[in-house]
Structures are given as C-alpha cells and as structure tokens.
Amino acid sequence: MPRKRFCVLCAALFAGAVSAMAADRACAAARPIAAAEQQGYTGGSEKAPLGTLQSADATPAAKALACKQLAICGTKAAVPALAALLGDEKLASWARIALEAIPDPSADESLRKAMGKVQGRLLVGVINSIGVRRDAKAAGGLAARLKDADAEVASAAAAALGRIGGPAAAKALEPMLAAAPPAVRTEVAEGCVLCAERFLAEGNRDEAVRLYDTVRKADVPRQKVLEATRGAILARGAAGVPLLVEQLRSTDSAALGIGLRTARELPGPEATDALAAEMARMASDRQALMLVALADRGDSRALPAVLKAAAGGATHVRIAAMGALERFGNATCVPVLLEAAVESDAELAQKARGTLTKLSGQEVDADLLARLPQAAGKTRQVIIEVAGQRRITAALPAIVRCAEDGDAGVRGAAVEALGAMGGAQQAADLVKVLRKADANEHAGIEKALMTISGRGGAACAAHLAPLAQAGDSALRMIALHALACAGGPEALAAVRAAVNDKDEAVQDEAVRTLSTWPSMWPEDALAAEPLLALAKSAKKVTHQVLALRGYLQYVHGTRKLKDDERLAKVNAVMPLVTRPEEKRLVISALGTIETAGSLEMLVNFAADPALAGEACSAIVGLAEKKDLKGVSRQQLQKALQTAAEKSKGAPKKKAEDLLKALK
Amino acid sequence: MFEQAARLNRRRFLKAVVRAGAVLAAPYVIPGTVLGKDGGVLPSERITLGGIGIGNRGTYDLGCFLQESDVRFLAVCDVKAARREAVKKMADAKYGTTDCATYRDFRELLARPDIDAVLIATGPNWHATAAIAAAKAGKDVYCEKPCTKNIAQSLELAATFRRTGRVFQGGMQRRNLPQFEFAVELARRGKLGKLHTVHAQPRGMATSSSGWAPEEPQPPREEVDWDMYLGPAAWRPFNKKLLDGFNFEKGGGMVGGGVLEWGSHCVDICQWANGADLTAPVEYDPPAGGRAAARYANGVNLVLRDDGWLALGSCPVRFEGDMGWVETGDNGDIAASSPALLVGRGAKIPGYPANNHIRDFLNCVKTRGQPRASADVACWSHIACHAANIAIFLNRKLKYDLKKHEFIGDAEANRLRSEALREPWRL
C-alpha cells in the first residue's frame, strides 16, 4: 500500500472508534522497522476482551475488536459471550472469527445450537463455520438442512458436509444429486467430490471411485462433471488410463482440457506409454498440445515418440516436440536436432538450436565436440554456436581454428563463441586473427575481444597492449576499447601512451577512454593523475574538458580518499571549472562529501540561478546525514535557509521540514 | 566496497558483452506456433475474458490483456459504478462496439458460460474468495497479489485449482521478467556454488489492523455496493476512506502488513531461486536489527530486510552461494560477485511490466499447463509470508510443520492460520 494512502487510513482509524490496540498496530505500519520491532503481540488473557463483550456500554467497534483478541486468547469461558453475538447482524461475523479459532469443543456445541436459532445469512455463516471446523457431530443437523427451503442454507449445508466428509456425509449428499433443486445441486456435487477426495486420501479407493463416477453421471453442472472425471481418473491410477484417453479423444473442448490437465498428473509408466502412443495418433493441433503435456510430465519414457515427432511433420508439432526434448532429451537427440537446425524454416531452426543448447548431460557436450571436426558449412556453424552457448570450453582449441575457416558463417560463429567463453589465451588468439582479418570482420572480433577482456580483466592486457601499437589505426582503436574493458595498470599505461598517438582520431579516443576510466577499482585510481594533467594542459580544449569531467567523476566516486582529501582535490581543480556542465559535476561530487567545506561551497553555488536547483538538492541531501563533520548548527541552519529560499518543490519542502526539526 | 566495485565494473562490462548469447536458458517457453494460428484448446477459439474489481492496477493488467490478439474482453464487474463504466468505455473503445457487459455482483459474471477466464484485481480482501469461486464456476483465473489472506486460504486456493483443473496465475509478474529469471537460474544451476542465503525486501515488517472507522452515510447500492465491497471481511459501517486500497486483507484486522504485500513478490522469487516452489521455510525468527530471518529445511536462510541494497530499483532480491552472489531488482540491472556470471544475461527490461506474465497465463489457458505463478506456487510463497508475519506479530520464533501445516507447539500461532469469512461467503 502506498505510504501516503496508508497514513490517510491511519488518520481515519484514529478518528474512529478504534481500540488502542488496533490503532497502535495500524500506525506501526508506517513506522520504521526498528520501532515496529518494539511492539508485537506480547500475549494476554481473555479477561479484558471478554469484559468488553459482556459490557452493556461497549461500542460495537470495541466488541468487534475484542472478538479479534479472543480469536487468539479466548477459551471455553469466552464461548457463551461469543455465541450470544451469532444472531447480531453486525457482530456475528466478528464472533465467528473467534469461535472458529477457539479449539475447545464448546465452540462446536455453540455453533450447533445456533443452527437451530438463527436464520438466513446468519445461519449460512454458522453452517460455514461448522464446515471449517469439520464438526462431525453436526452431520445429522446438516443433513436435515440439505432440504431447507432457503437454497443458500441448503447449499451451505452441502458444502459443510463435503468438508466434514466420511460415510455419513456422503450418504446424506449422494441422493441429493438427483433430488436437490438446481440451485443447490452444484454444492451437493461439490460436497460429493470433496467426500470422494477424502475417501481416497484415507485409503478407501473403491468408495472414492464409486462416488466420483456417480457425480460424473449425475445431472450437475459441467464443471462438477469435469472435476469428478479428473478425480475418477486419478483415483483409478493406471486403470484410469482408458478414461483419460477418452477425454483426450473427446470432441468437447472442456473434456479435452481436463484430459490435458490430468495427463500431467496421472503418475506411472503405463500412463506415459499410453499418452505417448495417443499423441502419435492425434491430429496435429492436438498433437502439439499433447507434446506440451508430455513435456510437463517430464518422463523420458516418452522420448522415442517425442523424438520421432521432432524429426518430421507439421512445423508447430516439431517445435512442440523439441520443447519436450528440452525437458528430457539426451545425446541421442543430437542428430535430429542438428538436421533441423540447418533447415530453411527459421523458427524451426532456431528452436532446434535452442533445444541443443538446453539438452542436459555432459555426453551431449562430448557428442557435439566429436562432431565438430567432421562437420562442415552450416552444420559446423551450428555446432560452434551451440558449443559457445553451452560453454563447452574443451572445444576452444577447435573453435580457434575455425576462426580462420573458409566459410564466413563459421568464422563469425567461432569469433562469437570465443567471445562467449574465451579467456586470456583466446584474447591472444583473437588478436592474431584480427591482424589477418578483413576489415568487415573487425567489428565481430572487437566485440569478442571486449567481452573476453571484460571477463578476463587485467590478465588480457598483456595480449592487447601490442595491438595498441599496430600499424593500422583501426586496430589501435580496437585495442583501446578492449583495454578499457580489461582495466588494470598495464591497460591504463597503454591507453595513456595512445594519448600521444600519431593519429588524431586515436588520440581523441584515448582521451575519451581515459575520461570514463572507472575509479572504483583500486588500481584504476591511477587514471586520476593523467586526467588532471590533461585537464590542465592538453592541447585541445575538448581533451581538457573530457579530462576534467573524468577527473571530477573520479573525485566523486573514489572510496580510497577521505572526505577532506576529496574536498581538497575539488578545491584544487576549481580554477579549471568554468562551464555550468562541469560545475554541476562539482556539485554532484560535493553532495557526497560530508564536510563543512563542501556545505559552504554548495551554498555559494546556490547563489547562481542556473545551478540553484542542483545545489539546493545537494544541501538537503547533506543536511539529512546524521554526522556531518565539523558543521555547526548555525552553518547548517544557514545552508538550509538558502535551500528553502532558492529551491522549489520537494527540495524546498524538505529543507523547510529540516529547518523546523532543527528548531 | 566489493559490491560497488562489481557493479561499476559491470557498467563497462555490459558494453562489451552485448548479447554474448543466452547460455543460461530460461525455463521452457511455449512458442506461439505450438498453440495454433488463432490459439485456443481448439485453435479457432479466442480466450474470452471478464474482469472483476478493475481499479488502477486492474486497468493496467487489462491493458496488457487487451494487447493480446487472442483475447476478447466481454464483461466487467465492479462494486463501484464509476469503475464499471470506465472499464466498459475502455473495452468498447478497443473493439469499437458497445458490447461490454457490466455487473455489480461477480457471481452473475461467473455464471456466463461464454467467459473462459477472469482477471481479478479487487483489493486483497476478495482475491482468494473470488478466485476460488471462479475456479468452481469453471473459469481460469489471473489474480493480483497478495492472493490470499492467511495460510488456510493459501492451501484452499491450491487445492481448489488442483481439483477443478483450472489455470491460475498469481500477479507475481517478476516470475516472467528476464533479470529475475536470470538471477534465479544462476542460483538454481549452481553458478553461485552452494546456495546458503536468499534475501528479499518486504518494505516494512509491521503487522497491522484495518479496524473500524466511523460510520458515514452510505451511498446507493448502484453507486457503491458496500456490502459486496466488504464481502468476506467482517462487518463494519460504511466509511469512504475505507473504499480504496488494501483495507480488509487482514479480515477483521489482526495480521497483515508489508511482509505480505511486497513479500508475495520478492519472497516468491527467493522461493524460486531456492528450488522451493512447493515448500516454505520451517523456522521463522522475529525481526532483529531491521531484519527478519527464516530457514528452509535444506538449510538455506531467507532474510527479509530493508537495508543495504544496491541501487537496482524496487523489489530487490539477492542470492548468495559459497562461490558468489547475484542481486537484481526492478530497474532491470543485475549485479554479481563476478562479471563472468553476467555473461548472456540478455535484454534489460526496466520496471515490472506484466505482459510476459499475462502471455504465460494465456498460453496455459490453451495448453492447460501450469503458469509460473500457479496456485501451488502462490500457495507456498504466501504461506512463507503469512508465517513470517505471524512470527513478527507474536514477536517470537516459530517452527512450521510442512506436512501438517501447523506451528509446532504454539497454539496462538496456530489460531492465526485462518479467519472466518463474513456470511454468506465461504471458500
């Protein structure tokens, strides 16, 4: 619930006749957790709430909440007072909350007695509670109510008898399948199904089957027939297969639906065999649905039939079959799937590749690896793609060789697979491939190198650094990108050197790369010093700006420096900060530096209308910190006053609230 | 420090990995072609839909449904006339007709044989009761979360959908969002080593009550049907401030609060990551130091916490194994102890759209399979939340018997497992 709305509710509750206990709890929801921990239920006696119930002066609200408390702590002693409310239209539902919860048999007795006293909806409520408590002693009384003129009462009685279960309940319900009026028959049928369910759970399979079959053949709503059919199939076990198959062959979609559902539930090899055989006989639309059901069963006994379905036939059936293979396929499926994976139907081929990726078992990896040398063309490409997806690292040497295959598709797949699972060694291999590759393949290799470098980190830098000195400037650019992904001192050194590259485009890229060099890795803090130098003295203005931004981001993000050290670095660079864009970066950094100096600088920035919004938000952010070092109350007050004056909306309100709290 | 480093490095790393390949496969997804060109158990059939309680969230959900070409929205039910009319207008505008029927009583909508499925987006007070009624009437159900008000309702929900063979999808749409799927796959496939802790952010742990507000003049039933709005919640007089929001999910008003509201999302994802879709923690601790903890039978700890998350948006989860960790949230990002874990993470989808989740539901309506947030899945994840709530409310450690569905040796806790519904409603 949104907090605002909850607070409105809390306010409403406070205004109303709410017990102290309820109000405390309602409002506690809006408190911080720590406060909430302090108050929880600490136990209690029934004396007070029982007194409330018995008091002539207590309001209905107080009595209602007393009932709630008695639901937890009420005993036999509370039952008479609660039972007295069962005829009260306003409080009966509250009283039943307690009566349903109190374990003492006197609660059952009070509900049974109330069956003879209350009427209409209140009687329905009493009967419902009897059902929840499964009071077998009430079966006789409930049976009599099955013929009540009030259909709601009769239906409630049927439902309660179903919950209670047992021979007496079933005996009362069964004849009513035919005798009850239509308005009641639904609940009677449901009661019978519940009784059958309980018979089965208690080991009385024959009686369960008989009762399910009785409902199946009764003139009751279709949904109840379906429920009984499902129950009849499951209760029969393996002997239920013919009835299940009957549903699957039905022209009625509801029967087919319950058949498909039950096909997932009926356990045992006989059922799997029968369902697989049935699948093979079905028309293609049903075949697809049946294959999905077989997939959900997850029984590999169906594998031969499913594999056959995957090998040929209607496309949607083959796709469904492959879905089932994902669940229980094995290495024997590889040939069929490899063939499908190179077919012209794109969706089918895609599904086959996906299934090859998802087949479980190391023998699948071994099979694919063994096929790779012999395969050619598109099949080879598929195997490489799948090997990459499956992370078959044993295939890396073979895949490296394929990176220089005569087939462009194979080369592309090999490069991508190397990117997906390669390490530092494959970075070295790819650099060699890159040096020989056509320009139109550079992008794929660059992506793979970046991926490997991001994963392998500094270990890749040694293989990439020489590339940063290649004769071709395009290769040097690729090297910069990969080095940035690798990170570490060696990569940084190579990128720094590239700042003085003979090619201006490479210089620009080097500065750009340096300016976004993350500062969180301990070794990457080394980027700060060259960035500062560039900010001060780079030949190109764009380099100065990029470097300054990078440096400010370093000051903002670094966790290696203390707050006063970070502030000193900001101050040192301030003469270079002239444009609003960089000033905003300074403000952003100052907002994370919890010192008096940073607060003072933010107040100064707030004087500039173009920066006031950001500065004031940062002031408020700092003011919310608990331990601002060296900040006097007076300074804080002044800063917040500035924020309240110079900002709008949420920061202004927050500043005003903080000022009030300060006072 | 380590966490932040990994995250920042990832920003750079992601530039490099651009679709390096989806190595960690998502769970089985049914391709559209399998379902036939037009869809349906019989392929020529569309899925006909009705809506129950379509307010703000429901309107969003309905918008997603209406985007699906194989859905036809036929009718709306709401206790508020203004909502009925607004939704009718939305549907009629979509189809260029005036056919969308309106109902005040959802039982009339459920009685229509031409409606296959319903979207239930009432307040949580009604969720389980309406969903169970819909299943018994032969409808498939997409139901917003929290799906149940207590442990007993959770069990009844699961049992009913099993018995009826109907399809249920709880509104825990993060089950069908790629960042959560990816993180879960890392945990379930052992990429983090042996999983030992899963973290969820329930956004608040206080248990709370909805109480009884002062009586105000009741509007005409056609305008607002207060009796139907209260539904299974214990009776109280009309008060317009109680007319919106989650006011009666605590029934008469005892146990509720943030653990359930957001936990039904994030605890659910933790259950998934732990391979615990059909179970729940067996031990629950009350909050201490801003965190509440629970433990599964397999030894994995579930930590409910608000503190110390990376900035990955709302509803964050974090999974920790002995070889690594992963964390994700609603902004679509994923952070991990090692960039290598993030290879193949696929497209980023920020926010928490429900489109995929709704498509999953519709596919299962056709195949009769189980969607990712099925009634069984919802049952167990909600039990985990309810049990945690009870431990928080009672402020003591609890042990839960997964077979008997009772707290061991704690009579008070056991009394909080269920709550009577107001007459004439029953599950």
Side-chain angles (χ1 to χ4, degrees):
Chain A
M1 180 192 295
R3 180 146 300 176
K4 190 176 172 188
R5 196 165 61 193
F6 199 94
C7 289
V8 170
L9 174 60
C10 288
L13 293 173
F14 264 127
V18 182
S19 78
M21 180 189 93
D24 278 348
R25 297 240 165 76
C27 291
R31 289 182 201 150
I33 290 169
E37 287 170 14
Q38 303 305 315
Q39 55 90 51
Y41 180 73
T42 52
S45 86
E46 64 184 334
K47 194 175 171 186
L50 187 50
T52 301
L53 276 197
Q54 291 165 334
S55 165
D57 300 329
T59 63
K63 287 188 177 182
L65 292 160
C67 289
K68 287 291 297 184
Q69 292 175 42
L70 289 169
I72 305 178
C73 61
T75 68
K76 183 179 181 179
V79 169
L82 291 163
L85 297 176
L86 290 174
D88 184 321
E89 288 189 355
K90 294 179 179 176
L91 293 174
S93 52
W94 295 91
R96 286 193 296 105
I97 288 173
L99 285 171
E100 276 193 20
I102 293 171
D104 192 85
S106 63
D108 293 313
E109 198 177 329
S110 72
L111 289 165
R112 287 198 298 272
K113 280 184 183 169
M115 258 209 300
K117 294 178 184 170
V118 297
Q119 293 182 339
R121 268 171 70 148
L122 294 178
L123 176 55
V124 169
V126 165
I127 292 173
N128 288 346
S129 288
I130 288 171
V132 168
R133 290 179 65 93
R134 299 192 60 224
D135 175 14
K137 289 182 181 172
L142 291 171
R145 290 289 183 182
L146 286 174
K147 294 176 182 169
D148 198 287
D150 183 338
E152 282 204 41
V153 170
S155 293
L161 282 166
R163 282 181 170 274
I164 292 166
K171 191 178 173 186
L173 285 166
E174 201 174 325
M176 297 305 288
L177 283 169
V184 180
R185 216 174 286 178
T186 303
E187 291 289 357
V188 170
E190 169 137 344
C192 287
V193 168
L194 287 171
C195 284
E197 207 169 76
R198 196 168 293 280
F199 280 135
L200 187 62
E202 290 169 354
N204 193 347
R205 177 187 298 254
D206 291 345
E207 190 56 18
V209 168
R210 193 195 63 74
L211 198 48
Y212 278 130
D213 284 346
T214 303
V215 177
R216 278 203 305 129
K217 291 164 188 165
D219 181 15
V220 295
R222 182 76 176 129
Q223 174 59 29
K224 299 302 145 192
V225 172
L226 296 173
E227 291 167 22
T229 303
R230 170 188 171 273
I233 294 167
L234 296 178
R236 283 180 165 89
V241 168
L243 184 54
L244 172 56
V245 169
E246 185 183 319
Q247 308 312 308
L248 295 170
R249 291 179 182 177
S250 173
T251 54
D252 173 42
S253 63
L256 172 61
I258 204 70
L260 288 168
R261 170 54 66 92
T262 313
R264 292 161 162 94
E265 295 182 282
L266 185 64
E270 301 90 347
T272 301
D273 292 346
L275 291 168
E278 190 60 22
M279 181 273 296
R281 278 190 220 110
M282 287 174 154
S284 67
D285 286 334
R286 288 201 179 188
Q287 237 178 348
L289 294 170
M290 195 63 225
L291 282 160
V292 176
L294 285 168
D296 287 345
R297 279 183 72 82
D299 185 346
S300 61
R301 284 181 71 92
L303 183 56
V306 173
L307 190 55
K308 192 176 173 190
T315 301
H316 72 282
V317 174
R318 295 180 70 189
I319 288 175
M322 289 176 196
L325 295 180
E326 288 174 11
R327 294 284 179 91
F328 49 70
N330 56 32
T332 65
C333 307
V334 171
V336 165
L337 291 168
L338 272 178
E339 277 189 36
V342 297
E343 287 191 34
S344 57
D345 185 312
E347 191 178 3
L348 183 74
Q350 184 64 32
K351 182 67 184 177
R353 290 176 200 204
T355 304
L356 279 166
T357 302
K358 291 169 188 168
L359 284 180
S360 64
Q362 291 182 339
E363 69 279 10
V364 177
D365 292 349
D367 185 289
L368 288 166
L369 185 55
R371 288 173 191 273
L372 182 56
Q374 284 83 43
K378 212 159 183 188
T379 303
R380 174 177 271 196
Q381 180 182 331
V382 168
I383 293 175
I384 292 169
E385 284 171 3
V386 171
Q389 303 265 309
R390 293 179 67 90
R391 300 293 188 266
I392 307 176
T393 51
L396 279 169
I399 293 174
V400 167
R401 290 192 289 278
C402 293
E404 296 181 272
D405 195 281
D407 184 309
V410 171
R411 288 200 302 276
V415 167
E416 194 170 327
L418 291 172
M421 60 179 168
Q425 177 56 50
Q426 283 69 45
D429 294 334
L430 273 177
V431 166
K432 287 180 197 160
V433 171
L434 177 66
R435 288 181 186 273
K436 291 185 268 178
D438 287 345
N440 63 3
E441 295 185 2
H442 282 186
I445 298 172
E446 177 181 13
K447 194 163 88 177
L449 274 174
M450 290 170 70
T451 309
I452 292 174
S453 303
R455 196 165 54 241
C460 298
H463 305 298
L464 298 168
L467 192 64
Q469 292 169 359
D472 184 348
S473 62
L475 299 191
R476 298 204 297 279
M477 296 277 254
I478 292 174
L480 289 178
H481 297 153
L483 286 163
C485 292
E490 195 171 353
L492 183 62
V495 174
R496 283 183 68 177
V499 170
N500 298 315
D501 194 279
K502 58 193 173 192
D503 185 325
E504 195 173 330
V506 177
Q507 290 175 16
D508 291 348
E509 194 60 24
V511 174
R512 199 174 295 123
T513 303
L514 208 53
S515 71
T516 56
W517 205 263
S519 56
M520 285 301 191
W521 292 103
E523 67 270 28
D524 286 343
L526 295 172
E529 182 261 318
L531 282 171
L532 184 58
L534 282 169
K536 286 178 178 172
S537 57
K539 288 174 193 163
K540 287 174 78 172
V541 174
T542 50
H543 288 191
Q544 289 176 8
V545 170
L546 282 171
L548 179 59
R549 289 182 179 183
Y551 184 75
L552 287 170
Q553 280 166 359
Y554 150 73
V555 174
H556 185 162
T558 184
R559 296 288 178 271
K560 293 198 79 179
L561 300 177
K562 293 175 183 167
D563 277 350
D564 51 354
E565 291 171 326
R566 291 167 67 214
L567 183 62
K569 288 193 179 296
V570 171
N571 274 316
V573 87
M574 278 309 289
L576 303 172
V577 179
T578 54
R579 301 171 356 127
E581 290 88 342
E582 284 72 59
K583 285 180 181 173
R584 290 194 178 94
L585 288 175
V586 170
I587 290 170
S588 183
L590 289 172
T592 65
I593 301 175
E594 300 175 21
T595 64
S598 53
L599 196 61
E600 188 180 337
M601 288 178 74
L602 286 170
V603 170
N604 292 337
F605 275 119
D608 181 345
L611 304 170
E614 289 92 341
C616 292
S617 291
I619 289 171
V620 169
L622 277 184
E624 286 182 304
K625 309 281 183 190
K626 284 181 182 168
D627 303 313
L628 272 182
K629 299 174 203 94
V631 177
S632 68
R633 182 189 173 86
Q634 198 176 11
Q635 187 193 359
L636 190 59
Q637 197 163 3
K638 183 188 162 197
L640 285 169
Q641 274 167 350
T642 303
E645 287 165 14
K646 305 277 183 188
S647 62
K648 297 174 186 170
K652 181 181 180 70
K653 186 170 183 317
K654 194 77 190 168
E656 288 169 347
D657 290 346
L658 288 167
L659 271 172
K660 275 183 205 163
L662 207 59
K663 284 171 187 169
Chain B
M1 171 68 191
F2 178 54
E3 292 174 355
Q4 296 226 3
R7 179 160 55 100
L8 282 192
N9 188 52
R10 182 185 156 274
R11 194 187 311 160
R12 183 177 59 185
F13 175 70
L14 276 182
K15 288 184 201 161
V17 265
V18 193
R19 293 196 191 114
V23 62
L24 290 167
Y28 178 42
V29 176
I30 301 161
T33 42
V34 170
L35 304 172
K37 196 174 175 184
D38 299 319
V41 171
L42 295 175
S44 60
E45 291 178 358
R46 278 181 182 160
I47 297 169
T48 50
L49 184 73
I52 299 173
I54 309 299
N56 291 339
R57 180 66 198 175
T59 300
Y60 169 77
D61 290 338
L62 180 56
C64 296
F65 273 104
L66 292 180
Q67 286 172 29
E68 300 295 329
S69 60
D70 53 353
V71 168
R72 183 79 185 193
F73 187 73
L74 296 185
V76 59
C77 167
D78 205 295
V79 296
K80 299 172 191 169
R83 293 308 315 162
R84 289 195 293 275
E85 290 310 313
V87 173
K88 174 179 168 53
K89 196 174 168 184
M90 179 181 173
D92 286 347
K94 163 79 180 172
Y95 301 125
T97 65
T98 56
D99 295 347
C100 181
T102 58
Y103 300 95
R104 186 164 45 78
D105 187 330
F106 72 95
R107 290 170 294 192
E108 291 177 48
L109 185 151
L110 294 182
R112 281 182 58 159
D114 59 339
I115 289 180
D116 299 322
V118 290
L119 160 64
I120 297 174
T122 58
N125 170 47
W126 261 114
H127 284 167
T129 308
I132 287 169
K136 289 179 178 179
K139 311 302 181 195
D140 296 324
V141 174
Y142 184 99
C143 180
E144 267 304 332
K145 41 60 60 182
C147 303
T148 66
K149 298 203 292 187
N150 52 50
I151 290 172
Q153 285 197 350
S154 306
L155 293 167
E156 195 67 33
L157 183 84
T160 301
F161 277 84
R162 277 198 298 273
R163 183 183 308 122
T164 57
R166 306 318 306 181
V167 174
F168 178 90
Q169 175 87 304
M172 294 90 90
Q173 74 272 19
R174 290 165 182 83
R175 284 244 172 191
N176 273 296
L177 284 174
Q179 71 269 34
F180 291 99
E181 279 180 47
F182 187 88
V184 164
E185 286 285 298
L186 289 182
R188 293 188 62 154
R189 292 191 175 215
K191 302 290 182 187
L192 307 177
K194 183 172 167 46
L195 191 70
H196 57 74
T197 309
V198 289
H199 299 254
Q201 187 196 32
R203 296 179 78 178
M205 294 182 194
T207 54
S208 57
S209 161
S210 51
W212 181 307
E215 184 163 11
E216 293 179 350
Q218 198 165 319
R221 177 174 276 203
E222 269 306 311
E223 187 183 320
V224 175
D225 189 338
W226 177 248
D227 180 63
M228 193 57 107
Y229 181 72
L230 275 181
W235 186 89
R236 70 210 72 196
F238 175 83
N239 184 298
K240 62 178 180 295
K241 290 193 175 68
L242 297 178
L243 209 46
D244 294 302
F246 300 173
N247 294 321
F248 310 123
E249 71 271 31
K250 304 101 186 178
M254 193 54 81
V255 176
V259 169
L260 179 64
E261 163 56 7
W262 278 81
S264 49
H265 279 306
C266 52
V267 170
D268 177 61
I269 297 295
C270 287
Q271 294 252 123
W272 191 18
N274 186 26
D277 276 346
L278 299 180
T279 185
V282 292
E283 292 180 352
Y284 298 83
D285 297 337
R291 295 179 172 201
R295 277 164 300 286
Y296 291 90
N298 68 355
V300 170
N301 295 297
L302 166 66
V303 181
L304 305 171
R305 47 175 275 226
D306 276 352
D307 61 318
W309 295 99
L310 304 180
L312 303 182
S314 55
C315 206
V317 290
R318 179 184 171 96
F319 313 135
E320 294 174 347
D322 58 9
M323 287 165 52
W325 56 263
V326 63
E327 187 169 324
T328 190
D330 283 342
N331 76 355
D333 278 334
I334 307 173
S337 51
S338 159
L341 289 170
L342 299 171
V343 174
R345 62 147 292 179
K348 170 180 170 176
I349 300 182
Y352 37 94
N355 303 74
N356 293 350
H357 202 54
I358 283 169
R359 190 62 250 173
D360 178 26
F361 167 68
L362 295 171
N363 287 348
C364 290
V365 168
K366 294 177 177 182
T367 64
R368 310 314 298 167
Q370 295 280 17
R372 289 190 179 172
S374 69
D376 283 312
V377 165
C379 166
W380 285 101
S381 58
H382 281 64
I383 284 176
C385 294
H386 292 307
N389 262 350
I390 293 171
I392 292 166
F393 176 74
L394 295 175
N395 198 28
R396 60 178 177 251
K397 192 180 180 96
L398 296 175
K399 289 188 176 182
Y400 191 73
D401 184 322
L402 297 168
K403 286 188 177 167
K404 293 180 180 173
H405 285 289
E406 63 184 31
F407 294 100
I408 299 166
D410 197 316
E412 287 184 332
N414 282 326
R415 289 189 184 201
L416 292 165
R417 288 173 302 167
S418 67
E419 187 170 273
L421 304 187
R422 188 171 67 101
E423 57 282 350
W425 305 105
R426 61 178 168 271
L427 296 176

